[in-house]
Amino acid sequence: MNDSASHSRQTAETKLKELKRRLLEISDLNAAGSVLSWDQATYMPDGGAAARGRQGAVLRRLAHERLIDPELGRLLDELRPYAESLPADSDDARLIRVAHRDFDKAVKLPAEFVARANEHGAASYDAWTRARPANDFAAMRPFLEKTIEISREYANYYAPYEHIADPMVDDADEGMTTALIRNLFDALRAELVPMVRAIADQPPADDSCLRVSFAETEQLSFSRDVVGRLGYDFNRGRLDKTLHPFCTKFAADDVRITTRVRDNDLGDAMFSTIHEAGHALYELGVSADLEGTPLGSGTSSGVHESQSRLWENVVARSLPFWAHFYPELQRTFPDQFTSVPLDTFYRAINKVERSLIRTDADEVTYNLHVMLRFELELNLLEGKLRVQDLPEAWRAGMQSALGVTPPDDRDGCLQDVHWYSGWIGGSFQSYTIGNILSAQFYAAAVKAHPDIPREVGNGSFGTLHAWLRENIYRHGRKFPPNELIARATGTPMSMEPYLGYLRTKYGALYRLPAQAS
Ligand code: ZN
């Protein structure tokens, strides 16, 4: 290396250090904001709400100001040639790419718009918390109309795009587009609708064993024990109660989960806890080298959801899993389960039914709930569907997809918080992408280690956890989702493993239509 090359490398390294210092500060401000939100959703007395809203907004503003600081943009520009000189797979080259992407996205939004959108989101959410219980869609109409306007305005800051929802889809699931998802959903729907119809024609599974009374303390301790055995490290996390379960990260060694407990629904706390623990395992598995940078968390919403669902559904709703854990559950709840055979319990936790509420839906019908929302939000954004016609479009969509019609809007188009938090578009597709990927990742892990299912039956999850850590978790956001999927599984995203999983599992539980081939 000659003198000037060595000098410019040194300058670049100094600049990279400065970049990381700035990014760490942004990450710390965001983490502090997360601590405030976690507290608000767990222990904060109601009286704290107004001050907490203000404090959270201050932190968000500071983080945003630092993210759009022109000095940061200059650093990133100056580092571009250096990034290109590094091996394409190096952490630093990828860090500069992702930081650039975040910066470019953030600077396109005027500060005035961000403030206006946040304010609207808070007002809309607040109104929804009253309108849903009151079954008052009319009260939400003006809010939703404005939400659509704001979302369209947001998309237009990223024009040109092929479809107005593309910028929102790309925020959550980089590399995905509305057109790709529509194709994927059409193909999946064609398989799922006959499957659901065939199952619905048969006698329903009896899940009454899950609907008796279960003491909260035992529900929580059993859930805590299970997620600990899956690999969730309570020295680096904790479990608390909340209204709507979530997982949140404050640092590489502090990733927390929350759950809720219903006295007469054993599955709620247990599977919510396992679901959130799946998100947490992902975050806890990100390489320590990436901490405090934009690479230090999961790569996309869809891939994140694949990890929660892999543990919740593919592992913890499987027969081998319960062959191991059921005796323990029976000891925890002897009055409720001593006389219930394992097979009855297994059928109960995998009961398929046409229901009204997405969050309560089983694995088979769940995606139909998602597809309905995705179609409707596209129609709203495209201007093909007027807000006033949404309740009717919802009822018609439920009837055609699932064969049930909600009796009111509370359990219809008002049920999910997503559209009433200030944005519409780009958030529902991740759930179905997550389902599809959960099976694809699991199949790849089993292909590499055929012993995994037997180990799960012994209550041992180390090999599976290690494969996920090695192929997915440790990379954080270093690789965009499509690249990560191809590296981990050898193929692009494919719904075949997922369909194969559903056919095998539900074919054993119900008679399914013969496959057209
Ligand atoms: Zn989730």
Side-chain angles (χ1 to χ4, degrees), residues 48-317:
R52 186 54 51 88
R54 189 184 67 237
Q55 292 152 354
V58 170
L59 287 171
R60 268 200 309 280
R61 181 170 54 75
L62 291 176
H64 187 74
E65 279 170 11
R66 276 165 174 68
L67 178 59
I68 57 167
D69 185 343
E71 197 50 48
L72 182 69
R74 247 190 310 278
L75 263 178
L76 286 164
D77 281 337
E78 288 166 9
L79 280 165
R80 198 187 286 254
Y82 174 67
E84 280 158 12
S85 77
L86 295 171
D89 278 0
S90 73
D91 288 356
D92 286 342
R94 297 296 181 130
L95 167 65
I96 294 166
R97 180 197 84 87
V98 170
H100 224 138
R101 175 179 148 89
D102 291 351
F103 176 80
D104 287 345
K105 281 203 150 187
V107 292
K108 288 201 168 122
L109 299 179
E112 170 279 325
F113 171 77
V114 175
R116 179 157 47 88
N118 280 336
E119 210 173 297
H120 167 67
S124 174
Y125 173 77
D126 183 55
W128 175 78
T129 60
R130 291 184 300 273
R132 190 191 174 203
N135 187 34
D136 188 359
F137 180 74
M140 293 316 295
R141 247 182 77 182
F143 286 102
L144 192 52
E145 277 159 3
K146 188 157 175 208
T147 295
I148 293 165
E149 252 170 61
I150 284 183
S151 301
R152 295 179 62 92
E153 183 178 346
Y154 176 82
N156 284 326
Y157 290 117
Y158 300 102
Y161 44 72
E162 212 176 284
H163 189 280
I164 184 115
D166 282 353
M168 282 84 90
V169 167
D170 188 67
D171 285 345
D173 296 295
E174 185 184 353
M176 283 284 155
T177 63
T178 305
L180 284 170
I181 294 165
R182 267 187 166 147
N183 286 339
L184 184 75
F185 283 8
D186 285 348
L188 187 58
R189 187 186 294 111
E191 299 283 340
L192 290 177
V193 167
M195 209 184 272
V196 170
R197 195 173 300 137
I199 292 172
D201 285 345
Q202 298 167 49
D206 175 9
D207 65 348
S208 56
C209 66
L210 305 175
R211 312 276 172 207
V212 291
S213 177
F214 299 94
E216 175 171 314
T217 320
E218 277 73 34
Q219 286 202 52
L220 283 172
S221 69
F222 187 80
S223 296
R224 193 183 299 270
D225 181 49
V226 168
V227 297
R229 305 264 285 281
L230 297 178
Y232 181 65
D233 179 356
F234 282 93
N235 290 314
R236 303 168 65 208
R238 51 179 291 135
L239 172 65
D240 295 276
K241 280 201 303 166
T242 190
L243 204 56
H244 301 288
F246 62 94
C247 165
T248 183
K249 182 178 201 169
F250 304 155
D253 294 316
D254 188 353
V255 179
R256 304 189 187 184
I257 56 176
T258 55
T259 194
R260 68 171 165 221
V261 183
R262 286 186 201 162
D263 172 73
N264 62 349
D265 182 357
L266 179 74
D268 203 28
M270 190 166 66
F271 290 112
S272 297
T273 310
I274 297 170
H275 180 99
E276 300 308 332
H279 284 301
L281 291 178
Y282 189 2
E283 291 297 332
L284 286 168
V286 175
S287 162
D289 297 342
L290 306 179
E291 172 156 38
T293 78
L295 304 187
S297 61
T299 191
S300 69
S301 301
V303 172
H304 233 299
E305 207 56 26
S306 78
Q307 295 315 299
S308 53
R309 277 149 203 270
L310 186 151
W311 290 104
E312 177 198 350
N313 290 336
V314 183
V315 172
R317 286 186 210 266

Side-chain angles (χ1 to χ4, degrees), residues 87 91 163 215 287 319 322 350 479 484:
D91 288 356
H163 189 280
S287 162
L319 191 55
W322 285 105
N350 287 295
F479 303 121
L484 182 81

Side-chain angles (χ1 to χ4, degrees), residues 340-360:
V340 177
L342 170 62
D343 186 63
T344 305
F345 175 77
Y346 173 64
R347 285 172 185 275
I349 60 168
N350 287 295
K351 178 179 184 177
V352 176
E353 75 190 314
R354 295 162 147 174
S355 64
L356 297 174
I357 307 292
R358 174 185 62 88
T359 53
D360 295 338

